[in-house]
């Protein structure tokens, strides 16, 4: 239900896909053409995602909470094991180093856009 998740949802619907939004707060899903599962990502089970072709992880942890992204990703990997469901992980490049010495992150460069 965040900025990226909403854009991905709308694009998937516009392309004719059957979409299920998995969100913590169902009231944030404004598109009535999608099914909704109201659940925290860490509480999802294999049966929740049974039958899905793809799960898109657009989970948004608070800025600087890299552990939150890691934990969410690990949980998705665990519940997807043994299924035919593919995972697409949406992430940013801001934490990547742009120099050989690994001292400058992309987020710290002048080229990186301001947080909106």
């Amino acid at each position: 239900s965040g900025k990226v998740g909403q854009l991905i949802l709308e694009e998937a619907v516009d392309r004719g896909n059957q979409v299920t939004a998995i969100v913590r707060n169902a009231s944030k899903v404004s598109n009535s053409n999608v099914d909704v599962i109201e659940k925290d990502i860490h509480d999802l089970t294999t049966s929740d995602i049974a039958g899905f072709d793809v799960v898109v992880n657009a989970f948004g942890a608070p800025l600087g909470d890299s552990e939150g992204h890691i934990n969410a990703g690990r949980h998705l990997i665990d519940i997807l094991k043994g299924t035919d469901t593919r995972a697409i992980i949406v992430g940013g490049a801001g934490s990547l180093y742009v120099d050989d010495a690994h001292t400058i992150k992309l987020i710290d460069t002048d080229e990186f856009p301001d947080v909106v």
Side-chain angles (χ1 to χ4, degrees):
S1 60
K3 186 184 293 186
V4 173
Q6 287 183 31
L7 292 171
I8 293 168
L9 179 143
E10 293 301 329
E11 184 67 26
V13 169
D14 289 348
R15 290 180 180 217
N17 294 290
Q18 182 180 352
V19 177
T20 300
I22 302 172
V23 295
R24 289 176 291 224
N25 183 347
S27 69
K28 291 186 175 184
V29 179
S30 59
N31 189 319
S32 59
N33 297 317
V34 301
D35 294 323
V36 178
I37 296 173
E38 187 175 49
K39 211 171 221 191
D40 186 276
I41 192 170
H42 301 95
D43 296 328
L44 285 174
T45 66
T46 301
S47 62
D48 289 324
I49 52 106
F52 291 173
D53 294 322
V54 176
V55 172
V56 177
N57 176 4
F59 174 76
L63 193 59
D65 180 13
S66 59
E67 198 65 32
H69 287 285
I70 292 167
N71 292 335
R74 284 184 179 149
H75 181 69
L76 281 180
I77 290 168
D78 287 342
I79 66 171
L80 290 171
K81 284 180 185 172
T83 73
D84 291 329
T85 304
R86 291 174 287 153
I88 297 175
I89 313 302
V90 178
S95 64
L96 300 177
Y97 291 105
V98 296
D99 64 329
D100 290 336
H102 291 180
T103 58
I104 302 170
K105 293 182 180 181
L106 181 59
I107 195 170
D108 298 324
T109 65
D110 292 337
E111 293 81 17
F112 197 82
D114 292 333
V115 176
V116 187

